[in-house]
Amino acid sequence: MMPGSQWELPPELCCRPMAFVALTGLDVVYNAVHRAIWDAFCANRRADRVPISFKVLPGDHEYPKCRTKRTSYEWYIPKGILKTSWMNKHLNLVPALVVLFYELDWDDPQWKEKQSECATKVEIVRTSLQGRNTKVAVVLIQKKTPLPPGEDLVASERAATLCNSCDLSGKSLFVLPHTDHLVGYIIRLENAFYEHAQTYYYTEIRRVKSHKEFLNKTTHQLLFVRHQFKIAFFSELKQDTQNALKHCKTGFSFLSSFPDICRLCFQHNTPLDAIAQFRKHIDLCKKKIGSSDLAFEHAAWMSKQFHSFGELFDEAIKLGLTAIQTQNPGFYYQQAASYSQDRKQLAQQLCQVMKLQLLLLPLYQPFRKSMSIEPPDAEKEKTGIWTLQIKERDVPQSELIIALLSNAVAQFKKYKCPRMKSHLMVQMGEEYYHAKDYTKALKLLDYVMCDYRTERWWGLLTAILTTALRCAYLMASVKDYIIYCMELLGRASELTEEQKLRIEKNLIKVLMNDIPDPEPECDLSSEGVARSLWNDRMASAGSKLLTIEVQDYIPFIQCKAKFQSPSFHVDQPIQLQVYLRTDCPHPISFNKLAVILSNQEYNQWCVVECAGQESMSLLPGKPKCHNFSFVAKTEDVGKKIEMTGIELMLGSETGRCVFLSWRGAGGDAASTHEALQASRSSRRWGRGMEARRGMDWDSVTMQHSTMVISRVPKMSVKLSHQPPALNNEMYCINITVQSQEEVVAKDVKLTAGLKPGQDANLGQTTHVTLNGSTVCDDTAPALLPDVPIGDLKPGERLERCVYVKCVSTGSRVFLFHVAYSIDSTVEGRQIVCKCHKDETVTIETVVPFEVSVKFVSSKFEPLDRVAVDIPFLLMTDVLSLSPWPLLLASSSLQLLTMNTNTPQLQSQMQEVVLQTDECASECFCLRCPLLANSNNTVATGQYLISWRRKSSRANSPLIQTAVTLPHVILESVPLYIHAELPSYGRVRESLSVRYHIKNRTSLVQEVEMAVEPSDAFMFSGLKQVRLRILPGSEQQMLYNYYPLMAGYQTLPQLNISLPRCLTTNTHSLRRFLPQRIFVKPQGRQLDDASIAAA
Amino acid sequence: MAVCIAVIAKENYPLYIRSLPTQNELKFHYTVHTSLDVVEEKISAVGKSVGDQRELYLGLLYPTEDYKVYGYVTNSKVKFVIVVDSSNTSLRDNEIRSMFRKLHNSFTDVMCNPFHNPGDTIQSKTFDGIVSGMMVPPG
């Protein structure tokens, strides 16, 4: 039916369909009688004649063949909605009725022959109509005027036989007398034909309808349409336009899920094609509104189109198609909703017109309209339209619109379009308003209002508020009504001054417990309901108190509050200001202003209430400032005082009391932005001048909290000490406290020590005490709290020493906190102020000295291992690192395994004073006894030093510092040899050297000894000897060395070997022996002359 | 020619909005406001690839049945929106671009005014004139 490429209506669609009746057996060319009959049929076909289209066809005309009907549609897949030729076929080719004209009088002499000829002709027609339900009728053209029925017996008898032979019913046999009244007969014939045609079309409709049950919805979508269309068309031929229209519409509604193409496109994942196809479809249909009276039908249809496409799209998405923000089903639902809204509007308009028409019907002739289906008569058409219009009134328009909108909302939510969503929700709200469901309307509008408010789209906010106000009025919701009024009067509202005046008047009425005037554009019927609701509200005994949280709106009264300062001393009165300003056109009065503070005890000082009849008023645009002040309680020192809210009371007990309540220090949904803009403004340069003239509202900043801080102390705390502190010492810090108060400072307490909040380890390694006479132990705390000092008179001075022992090095912060109380008077009130003065100091702790220890042999050669039972030396060095002189009182050794080699071990350090970088050394001679256990590493013991600062008092305690001595590695020597020789020699003077050789083993040792010759000495004694030494016994060898040269001389080398003990060689033994000796030059006899010469 | 021209602040509130006086002004406000959804989305999509110079012209934001909405975002995230009648098929992309460029230039002039506080609504006769020139003459 649809010529795919272009949209041109085919001629079949443009003409008015009429029943098609074929006339045969008429020779209109050569037979004058036949010509006359034909002319009578054709001529003057005015509207009063039945709508039949006649056609003369030869008796043997071939009618279109009827295809064999299928018995089942199961495997049938339609190729389209309708064959293009179908309409033409039924308009022009397949007749509803074939009429055979035959000249035969009842008294024809050759009746028999004629009768059979006629029967043959009928048979021919029947054959060519095979399979169709087309009716056949026979008209006998007679020359004689017929007698009245019943009188001509021959005629009735012959008619019966003719009917019989032609297989016709009596109703299908007509007689046309060819007389003067031809036209009259023709009209009667026509009407009869028309009836036959109607029956034919009726049966056709029945036939088509009967197919329906064989169809299924999946493959036969198109057949549904086809059948509906066929039925519609047949109805039309039957001149049943009502039915035709109905079926047409059903057809279209089937068709509206038409976008089979679209669906296929989606299935093939080519959404753009689908969209393009749809667009094409829509662009075609958009303009085809049809009858203006039924324009809503078009809108409804368009809506349906969009809706269906949206659904298709959505379905495709569910099957895996991806949609995007700018191309999602939401747009189609939205457009569907938009068309539904149009439909509603049109329907409303038209229905109003209709009402008028009903009234003015006799005066106005019905208008003509152009429909593709031309109705039979205007009257019928009119009723048809009215029926539709009346039906339209019953359509739940709002419900449809809301359903579509909520579909769209769901989509836009999914595709990240919050603003589109809000817009649609506004529309939904408005629709609920139209549907008089005000509660739902307000719920939606309230929900989105906040979005528009935060985005600062005042125009849109005002529009929404206006609708919301209407809802609130119509449902007489007092609180909502007041809220919307307040915001519509506020600075964000874009209403005109006039409208604001009206709203303010209404608001004042509500505050007086009166009924407000109705909002404009509310319909009259609802107004009546609203009025009675308001009456109920007024009369109800319920509470007339209302609290409205205005912070999140932009109310017509602005409020900002601030504490004068972010902190107040406890002996100062706390001051705060509340600024109020109204934006409504008329002054507004209020009866109470209260600031609610975090400590409720102060609230009583921050209330202003009007006395008696006098109420406070705000002038439009003029800021007003209220000052409050109060004295803080001393318990609140160190605490924050916060404003938790501000309340402003409008109205009075006699009417309604409305509390506007702000959280914190006031401000509203728009004030933050305004403050920001004000701070950026170039006008701030001229602000100084402006401030002098009056207050600049935008530059008022809010300060919602203040600290109560203690009174300023008049007390000096001074510290004197000598940093750095030395590790472990009792570090003395001298504190001087002097009062500068004018009255007695009572209850002075000192807290001293490590400032809390530092590294936790410091708490364990710091000890504070007041007692400096002994070294404190680990139980002393890191912080001494609240040491009572007593009272201090004005100007009095006090000193204290605090001793600190730091066990580890590093820096520490020490706190000295002097607290006291003092009597003071603030604004006539006596208060006891607690004051305190803090002093902190950072002190570094360093090590006082460094101790180094080393082991050396008796030859002062460094030792890496110590030979058992052979004396060695322990050397200690104490290096002062202190910037202050140190007094080393004494030192001692605490030996574990070693013995001293000297009978009495005595410290060489007694009361030694070390300056910075000076070093004190000591030397101890030790011997390690033979140990029972085989362990060859042994602990030595500890080196103890008692010390103090040189500068500290004489009675101050000494600090013991213990240094753990290093372990030594022991070694046992099988043979010990040592030489006994004088400390020096002299050239050419013999010196005797005695070697003691001792066997330390439990075996007899054989020793080979040899003395190597030397240039510096001559010697006497055994040059080479082999001897045996018994276990534990000793051999002595005596040599006389005769030095030949002066200076340090290497002694003759002694080679010793133990043939039995190969581990001990000459070298390991030689280390016990002196290597060199100092040889003095040969002495000269001292005489007086030489002395004198010297 | 445009039927509605709007300048939107960085924070998405209107600095300037003008539509044909003959038509429903509120509808255009909604149209401009809803178009910000698309603008935001487009800006955030660009933000992901740092470094490349952003094209200020955003092109067609979305078509409605009756209008076409075009967008443009300055580097300081001030948005320009132009609404054109869908039936106006003679307008090419280039012309829209040049309209935006003109608008941007004029907007820059407004910002250069030392007495203008950025963030306040635009009240400038020159700017008004430029906008008027781009709108369909009413009637």
Side-chain angles (χ1 to χ4, degrees), chain A residues 722-727 729 731 804 806 843-847 949:
Chain A
Q722 294 177 307
L726 303 176
N727 209 0
E729 78 165 323
Y731 185 66
V804 177
C806 301
I843 295 172
E844 196 77 29
T845 304
V846 298
V847 285
R949 271 185 201 230

Side-chain angles (χ1 to χ4, degrees), chain A residues 215-282:
Chain A
L215 303 182
N216 66 56
K217 286 219 167 178
T218 50
T219 49
H220 297 143
Q221 286 276 350
L222 292 180
L223 282 182
F224 278 109
V225 184
R226 177 187 294 183
H227 291 159
Q228 289 297 333
F229 186 80
K230 281 185 174 178
I231 294 167
F233 191 71
F234 283 132
S235 305
E236 218 176 341
L237 286 167
K238 208 179 136 215
Q239 305 308 322
D240 181 0
T241 47
Q242 285 298 318
N243 264 326
L245 194 56
K246 190 181 118 198
H247 289 291
C248 238
K249 272 200 314 198
T250 333
F252 267 125
S253 71
F254 280 122
L255 204 54
S256 67
S257 55
F258 90 104
D260 233 45
I261 314 157
C262 293
R263 186 194 301 278
L264 285 168
C265 288
F266 277 132
Q267 273 170 9
H268 292 124
N269 215 354
T270 50
L272 289 178
D273 287 356
I275 290 161
Q277 179 67 38
F278 178 70
R279 278 251 64 92
K280 215 158 72 187
H281 171 66
I282 286 303

Side-chain angles (χ1 to χ4, degrees), chain A residues 826-855:
Chain A
V826 190
E827 294 199 325
R829 273 157 53 92
Q830 280 283 337
I831 55 167
V832 178
C833 294
K834 290 214 161 81
C835 298
H836 64 88
K837 173 82 176 178
D838 285 3
E839 203 66 52
T840 57
V841 65
T842 306
I843 295 172
E844 196 77 29
T845 304
V846 298
V847 285
F849 47 75
E850 213 166 56
V851 178
S852 57
V853 176
K854 58 186 184 222
F855 297 103

Side-chain angles (χ1 to χ4, degrees), chain A residues 372 404 792 985 1089:
Chain A
S372 61
L404 287 170
L792 273 181

